[in-house]
Amino acid sequence: MAARVALLLTALPAAILHAQTTVSAGALTLTVSAAGAITALREATTGTNYLATDTTAPLLTVVSAGKRYAPSAMRAAQGATGTTLTLQYAPIGVNVAVLVRTRPTHLTLEIIRATPVSAIDAVIWGPYPTTVSKTIGEIIGVVRDDRVAVGLQVLNVKTLGGDLPNREGSTWARGIAAKAMPWGSVLQAYAINRDRARTVDAWGGNFADMPVAALAGETVVGSAIALFACTEPATLDLLERIELAEHLPHPTIDGVWFRKSPLFERSYLISSFGEADVDEMIAYTTRAGLVSLYHEGPFKSWGHFVLDERQFPTGRVGMRTAVEKAHAAGLHLGVHTLTNFINTNDPYVTPVPDPRLSVTGRSTLVRDIDAQQHEIEVQSPMFFDEQKNNVLHTVMIGTELVQYRTVTTTRPFLLLDCQRGAFGTTASAHRAGAVAGKLLDHSYKVFFPNVAMQREVAGNLAAFLNETGVDHIDFDGHEGGLASGEGDYAVTLFADDVLRQTRHDLINGTSISKTFYWHIGSYYNWGEPWYGGFKESMQQYRIDNQALFDRNFMPHMLGWYLLTEKTTLAEMEWMLARAAGYRAGFAMVARPKALRANPLTPALLDAIREWERARTQHAFTSAQEARLKDPRSEFHLETTGDGQWNLYEYAMSAVFARDKIERQPGEPTHTAWTFDQPWADQRLQFRATVVGTTVVGNTVVGTTVVGSAGAVRNITLHLDNYATVSLPLTLSVGESLACDGTTTVHVYDATGKPKAAFTLPQLPPMLARGPHTITMDSDFDGETPPRIEWQLKGLSSVQPVRATK
């Protein structure tokens, strides 16, 4: 639809118009009343007004002295570049001019004047209430139903998605640019006046009353948003057009927008390697069919990004060579860092600390001190008395860093047990009145920059990427931007600075999600492997993330998984089946030592490759994908030809439970069950887990209590009174075992990590279709003996699958 502007009350002079104003662009028609409130958000194809009319909708809310003000009046003036809406806020004497421009696909709204800007704490675009409620894209600021999408896009770093959450301007929520409401939803964005000194409760409230210096010229002027409406299927295409029209970050891979690239939702390998073994790791990555080899930590220090010479003895030249080798193999090569975290051995800290290191607060010295003094008197204990978020206990006085144990709570306020010249700085004499700044630190034993220094650190990272050609990074620890006191603005600014200064395509992810970053990031890969095995390590969290990705046009990713020297093919395929079900990529952490030690490494890498091929070539039907999502199901994929596979699906029986039962002397202690095997004839397969129980009277009630006392020993299974499987093992509460019809029985600890393996003297017996009698015997330990729960597993179907893409 051609852009059009209809201004009502035409009896007034042409240049200055009053009463309501209607502006249209693309499929959106926006109407604003003479009081500065939106009265219509209309989508052209349906003709429906999607504005929720039972609540207010200010075009722009002004925050002044901590209070919120809606416009009291509005004047409209049409000019050569668009329509200027001048909003008046009579109670505080503020005027804000918003320039509305029409584009072929959307409207842009930008603050071009604000007077007096010094009276403004912040501005909030909206919130704009809509009746759309089915899909709320909280990160990208787009709400959808089956027919239409209505959206708000922030157009620069200073404009943050959401309703001003606090003085810092930060939130731990995944996104607040759109929110569900009783009437439907709201769209919202805000900007803070940073051109004045202020105090904030920084890092989400962890550092109270932190002073933040003014950023000269960084007012609310220039804050800008885009508003649009479209049919729901056209949403992603329209978002791309807005990115291009507004010169937003638009990262591409080989000339293709990442969200439409073949690398979207693709998996990668994380490992440690150096110049000596990069060829080996490239071979592993290539065999697994993954798109990138990502180094989990090549740096000796963050800040200046100094490479560890033990891995890269020729420094960046060696890293550049590794990148060239990866590219020659058709791979990307990545490195891991923690955004703006600064190690204590980095040149920003030692031997002369940078005065731009972030401080939580300052005081002054009461008396002169010499270079040996171990008690230092300060005017106030504030900031130095922080206990919870104070890891390194470090103050900066001039060019010296001093570590202290604690500060006294009454006068004189003394920093006690001071370690002078900490972190390789020089102990010096200081005069009374010298400033002592408490450095902001973290449990990783690092410091952080203020926002000006952070921009330099971002430039350092971009320079490293440009010099080496590394084309894959994660902004892990992205929340480190909060250390400047500038909230989510600084978080987004770091990524934007890096991307704009990097001279080649850059795949990147983040540890947190922010609205503007949506235009920068390639993926969001949340879920860590350190807490348990494949099935237990944050699995529900990983699955829950997939709905968030759907709502926000983000690639499906399942997080990181850890391949160890004991990882089995069944465990690997359990994870790969979930990835296929959700059409999700993942990161496989596989270090050289584990890959060399695991005898199944070739089979594991081949399984990754074939499952990834089938997943990315859309070989599975929607019905199969639904079953692949079920964490109770197990699958095996076998290649039968080019783009063709057999999918073997396994089913589990009901849970059988055995408890310790007191019997008369000589009476058998086993537990017996009948089982009607519904599958084809196959060897016996089973799973068993030991769980803690709570006993009330003679009734067992309760479920797993990982870590409670008790164990099960000497488990024996008898099949139809003719075949016996003996397991001379001891399983503590929470531990489990699995047998997949081979002579190997795998044992797992209480977190699901592989613990040991036991070899049966012969293959398990055949289990024919039909009824069977199965008995189990075992010994129990513990004052409250645990329970052993087990299930039979069987191959239920074999289904051919074929690539469709």
Side-chain angles (χ1 to χ4, degrees), residues 781-799:
D781 293 333
E783 291 185 7
T784 303
R787 160 185 288 187
I788 183 167
E789 296 180 346
W790 67 288
Q791 292 175 280
L792 296 179
K793 172 185 170 183
L795 176 64
S796 60
S797 68
V798 180
Q799 306 161 44

Side-chain angles (χ1 to χ4, degrees), residues 469-529:
V470 166
D471 52 4
H472 183 183
I473 63 169
D474 272 350
F475 295 108
D476 198 3
H478 208 165
E479 64 275 14
L482 302 177
S484 65
E486 297 291 358
D488 291 343
Y489 165 81
V491 170
T492 304
L493 183 65
F494 188 91
D496 190 53
D497 279 344
V498 171
L499 185 69
R500 292 186 186 278
Q501 295 178 70
T502 302
R503 297 192 296 267
H504 52 260
D505 291 347
L506 183 65
I507 301 170
N508 68 94
T510 179
S511 58
I512 52 180
S513 52
K514 301 300 169 188
T515 299
F516 190 83
Y517 178 80
W518 185 89
H519 299 286
I520 296 172
S522 309
Y523 60 83
Y524 307 71
N525 200 19
W526 299 317
E528 298 182 12

Side-chain angles (χ1 to χ4, degrees), residues 253-337:
I253 298 294
D254 299 325
V256 180
W257 188 33
F258 192 85
R259 296 182 191 283
K260 296 181 178 180
S261 164
L263 297 188
F264 192 74
E265 298 181 335
R266 294 293 298 274
S267 305
Y268 54 100
L269 188 139
I270 297 176
S271 191
S272 58
F273 56 88
E275 295 177 39
D277 53 3
V278 65
D279 295 297
E280 178 186 9
M281 292 310 305
I282 288 173
Y284 287 135
T285 310
T286 302
R287 180 163 185 166
L290 302 175
V291 300
S292 181
L293 171 59
Y294 183 94
H295 198 299
E296 64 179 326
F299 297 112
K300 182 169 65 176
S301 78
W302 301 318
H304 283 82
F305 303 101
V306 180
L307 286 168
D308 185 344
E309 63 274 7
R310 293 171 298 179
Q311 298 177 79
F312 292 91
T314 63
R316 294 187 178 186
V317 172
M319 179 62 78
R320 178 81 193 185
T321 300
V323 170
E324 290 170 351
K325 289 180 175 180
H327 288 178
L331 302 175
H332 296 268
L333 192 135
V335 298
H336 191 71
T337 181

Side-chain angles (χ1 to χ4, degrees), residues 358-675:
S358 182
V359 298
T360 61
R362 298 175 174 87
S363 187
T364 56
L365 304 190
V366 173
R367 309 178 192 283
D368 294 352
I369 61 171
D370 60 29
Q372 289 76 42
Q373 203 159 323
H374 296 291
E375 291 187 354
I376 299 175
E377 185 177 356
V378 291
Q379 287 284 357
S380 169
M382 187 176 178
F383 306 113
F384 307 106
D385 58 2
E386 170 64 38
Q387 295 299 318
K388 180 180 178 182
N389 299 295
N390 188 2
V391 177
L392 294 174
H393 291 252
T394 303
V395 298
M396 180 164 55
I397 309 172
T399 59
E400 180 187 0
L401 297 183
V402 178
Q403 288 186 289
Y404 66 100
R405 177 173 58 84
T406 189
V407 63
T408 56
T409 58
T410 59
R411 290 188 183 278
F413 299 117
L414 298 174
L415 303 179
L416 301 178
D417 299 332
C418 294
Q419 307 300 305
R420 305 298 301 276
F423 305 112
T425 61
T426 301
S428 310
H430 303 282
R431 302 297 299 271
V435 174
K438 171 65 182 68
L439 291 186
L440 192 152
D441 59 29
H442 185 273
S443 60
Y444 284 15
K445 297 185 178 181
V446 292
F447 298 123
F448 295 90
N450 67 15
V451 74
M453 181 179 167
Q454 174 188 289
R455 304 200 74 173
E456 183 175 293
V457 172
N460 293 343
L461 180 54
F464 169 85
L465 299 175
N466 291 331
E467 185 175 344
T468 61
V470 166
D471 52 4
H472 183 183
I473 63 169
D474 272 350
F475 295 108
D476 198 3
H478 208 165
E479 64 275 14
L482 302 177
S484 65
E486 297 291 358
D488 291 343
Y489 165 81
V491 170
T492 304
L493 183 65
F494 188 91
D496 190 53
D497 279 344
V498 171
L499 185 69
R500 292 186 186 278
Q501 295 178 70
T502 302
R503 297 192 296 267
H504 52 260
D505 291 347
L506 183 65
I507 301 170
N508 68 94
T510 179
S511 58
I512 52 180
S513 52
K514 301 300 169 188
T515 299
F516 190 83
Y517 178 80
W518 185 89
H519 299 286
I520 296 172
S522 309
Y523 60 83
Y524 307 71
N525 200 19
W526 299 317
E528 298 182 12
W530 322 119
Y531 309 106
F534 279 50
K535 297 183 180 182
E536 286 76 14
S537 185
M538 305 177 73
Q539 190 60 27
Q540 190 57 51
Y541 168 79
R542 299 168 191 266
I543 291 171
D544 291 344
N545 283 332
Q546 306 313 306
L548 173 79
F549 299 153
D550 279 331
R551 296 193 298 270
N552 291 280
F553 294 101
M554 291 153 62
H556 288 182
M557 300 296 285
L558 277 180
W560 295 21
Y561 290 89
L562 180 63
L563 187 158
T564 74
E565 64 275 11
K566 297 179 181 177
T567 298
T568 68
L569 183 59
E571 292 164 342
M572 182 64 73
E573 290 201 286
W574 182 91
M575 184 278 292
L576 293 168
R578 307 293 87 77
Y582 287 101
R583 295 191 178 183
F586 55 85
M588 183 58 60
V589 181
R591 297 170 176 126
K593 182 179 178 181
L595 288 165
R596 295 165 189 155
N598 193 320
L600 295 176
T601 288
L604 296 173
L605 298 179
D606 290 349
I608 293 172
R609 182 188 64 245
E610 295 307 316
W611 276 95
E612 283 290 277
R613 283 178 177 172
R615 177 179 72 85
T616 58
Q617 295 175 18
H618 298 176
F620 304 109
T621 67
S622 57
Q624 287 169 336
E625 287 177 344
R627 294 197 299 276
L628 288 166
K629 291 177 182 178
D630 187 348
R632 297 168 299 180
S633 300
E634 297 188 25
F635 298 86
H636 171 64
L637 192 69
E638 185 175 285
T639 307
T640 58
D642 186 20
Q644 300 177 63
W645 302 266
N646 277 339
L647 179 66
Y648 295 81
E649 184 171 357
Y650 295 86
M652 303 297 289
S653 72
V655 174
F656 301 104
R658 168 171 164 75
D659 299 297
K660 182 178 182 180
I661 301 174
E662 296 297 336
R663 306 272 191 189
Q664 297 180 19
E667 184 178 1
T669 60
H670 65 253
T671 307
W673 304 272
T674 58
F675 174 65

